[in-house]
């Protein structure tokens, strides 16, 4: 049943993710993908663990499928976030949000291959619409984006990183689906995924490799700007979407929670003073429509 408050919660979650990815662009460029992800994962693991403890949600984790949990942590959280931040640094928030729309068709394909779920005609049509919208929107780059991509020759890397982020994040959620179906609390599952990823990335950070270390000078403001998008995404937006899932039809909640490619356009217009092109708007709308076709059917 459609109700106003849960619908507003799902839409607010979309707006939160769009805002968070715009806020993350500057600190991600300053710190690099690895250091930015490390700080975010540690801070958000502490936040979500505290929330799960305060709400008494840990007893819901009756058993943990260790292989599925490992896949979810390594691929879904660690590699997925590293790829997403690398994509954000090179392609900007608009292209990153659009490419993450590939999560819907990729998850449908993975569910078909791994879990034997039916790949309906609507899934294929929705996937084609998503891909078409992304292609249309990628062609609608601003002059500044065009110059950046031509000089660095990174457009193909942006597409590859965005696709990898969508596949890893989607696969990570799919891996813990059986745990959720057995009654595990989503917030507790999210917390334990973040704890595992935070421990893993901290151990990797001990490796004496220069590529892992940021050359940026740390400051309280930079730390704040790094943690804030994580709190908005992992804490506020995820909680809002969970609330929407609890009180309205899951498919509709998922669609309303997938509007960030549309919301990111006016946010960027506000922050950069550059009006989005009709192609960019059309591509974002098509990507969301394709996601809706897959989720609602």
């Amino acid at each position: 049943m459609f109700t106003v408050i849960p619908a507003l919660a799902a839409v607010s979650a979309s707006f939160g993710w769009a805002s968070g990815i715009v806020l993350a662009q500057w600190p991600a460029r300053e710190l690099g993908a690895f250091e930015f992800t490390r700080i975010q994962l540690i801070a958000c693991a502490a936040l979500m663990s505290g929330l799960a403890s305060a709400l008494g949600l840990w007893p819901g984790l009756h058993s943990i499928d260790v292989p599925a949990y490992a896949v979810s942590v390594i691929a879904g959280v660690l590699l997925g976030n590293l790829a997403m931040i690398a994509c954000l640094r090179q392609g900007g928030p608009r292209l990153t949000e659009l490419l993450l729309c590939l999560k819907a068709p990729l998850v449908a394909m993975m569910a078909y291959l791994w879990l034997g779920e039916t790949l309906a005609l609507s899934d294929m049509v929705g996937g084609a619409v998503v891909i078409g919208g992304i292609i249309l929107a990628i062609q609608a780059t601003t002059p500044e984006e065009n110059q950046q991509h031509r000089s660095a020759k990174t457009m193909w890397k942006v597409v590859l990183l965005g696709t990898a982020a969508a596949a890893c994040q989607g696969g990570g959620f799919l891996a813990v689906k059986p745990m959720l179906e057995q009654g595990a609390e989503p917030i507790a599952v999210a917390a334990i995924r973040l704890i595992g990823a935070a421990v893993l990335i901290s151990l990797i950070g001990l490796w004496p490799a220069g590529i892992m270390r940021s050359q940026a000078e740390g400051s309280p403001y930079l730390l704040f700007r790094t943690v804030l998008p994580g709190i908005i995404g992992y804490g506020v937006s995820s909680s809002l979407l969970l609330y929407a899932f609890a009180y309205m039809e899951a498919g509709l909640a998922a669609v309303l929670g997938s509007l960030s490619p549309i919301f990111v356009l006016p946010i960027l217009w506000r922050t950069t003073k550059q009006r989005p092109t009709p192609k960019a708007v059309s591509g974002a709308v098509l990507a969301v429509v394709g996601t809706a076709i897959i989720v609602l059917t």
Side-chain angles (χ1 to χ4, degrees):
M1 182 178 64
F2 183 87
T3 53
V4 175
I5 295 179
L8 288 176
V11 173
S12 299
S14 290
F15 182 79
W17 279 310
S19 303
I21 203 164
V22 173
L23 290 172
Q25 186 176 19
W26 175 73
R29 285 180 174 173
E30 291 292 312
L31 292 171
F34 183 87
E35 187 66 11
F36 180 87
T37 304
R38 185 184 71 85
I39 294 173
Q40 271 207 337
L41 287 179
I42 293 174
C44 293
L47 172 69
M48 296 302 289
S49 299
L51 182 61
S53 298
L55 297 176
L57 301 178
W58 294 117
L61 292 173
H62 302 295
S63 62
I64 296 178
D65 185 342
V66 176
Y69 174 67
V71 170
S72 185
V73 168
I74 297 172
V77 182
L78 187 57
L79 296 181
N81 278 280
L82 286 172
M84 182 184 69
I85 298 305
C87 180
L88 175 64
R89 295 180 69 222
Q90 299 191 44
R94 185 177 66 84
L95 292 180
T96 301
E97 283 289 2
L98 281 165
L99 289 166
L100 288 178
C101 284
L102 287 170
K103 194 183 303 180
L106 289 173
V107 166
M109 181 63 70
M110 286 186 284
Y112 170 73
L113 294 175
W114 294 347
L115 303 180
E117 294 185 1
T118 303
L119 189 62
L121 177 61
S122 58
D123 295 328
M124 293 183 280
V125 171
V129 173
V130 170
I131 294 171
I134 291 173
I135 292 173
L136 180 63
I138 285 176
Q139 295 173 347
T141 52
T142 64
E144 288 76 10
E145 286 175 328
N146 278 329
Q147 181 61 36
Q148 176 189 358
H149 295 147
R150 282 198 302 266
S151 60
K153 298 180 180 179
T154 58
M155 178 59 79
W156 67 272
K157 292 182 180 179
V158 170
V159 174
L160 181 61
L161 287 168
T163 304
C168 288
Q169 290 180 1
F173 282 116
L174 199 61
V176 296
K177 182 180 178 181
M179 293 171 57
L180 294 170
E181 290 176 340
Q182 292 171 8
E185 290 289 343
I187 292 179
V189 172
I192 199 169
R193 290 173 76 233
L194 288 169
I195 291 171
V199 171
L200 185 58
I201 200 170
S202 297
L203 292 175
I204 296 173
L206 298 176
W207 188 265
I211 193 172
M212 299 294 187
R213 306 184 184 279
S214 168
Q215 301 301 318
E217 296 184 2
S219 68
Y221 178 69
L222 181 58
L223 179 62
F224 169 75
R225 283 291 303 271
T226 301
V227 174
L228 179 60
I231 294 175
I232 293 173
Y234 290 117
V236 178
S237 293
S238 295
S239 298
L240 286 171
L241 190 59
L242 287 170
Y243 174 83
F245 268 89
Y247 290 99
M248 67 186 300
E249 197 274 329
L252 184 57
V255 172
L256 293 177
S258 302
L259 300 178
S260 50
I262 293 178
F263 280 127
V264 79
L265 295 176
I267 293 173
L268 287 174
W269 187 2
R270 172 72 176 173
T271 56
T272 66
K273 310 301 181 184
Q274 294 178 356
R275 179 180 299 179
T277 65
K279 276 188 176 182
V281 176
S282 300
V285 170
L286 279 176
V288 172
V289 168
T291 301
I293 292 173
I294 295 171
V295 174
L296 291 179
T297 55

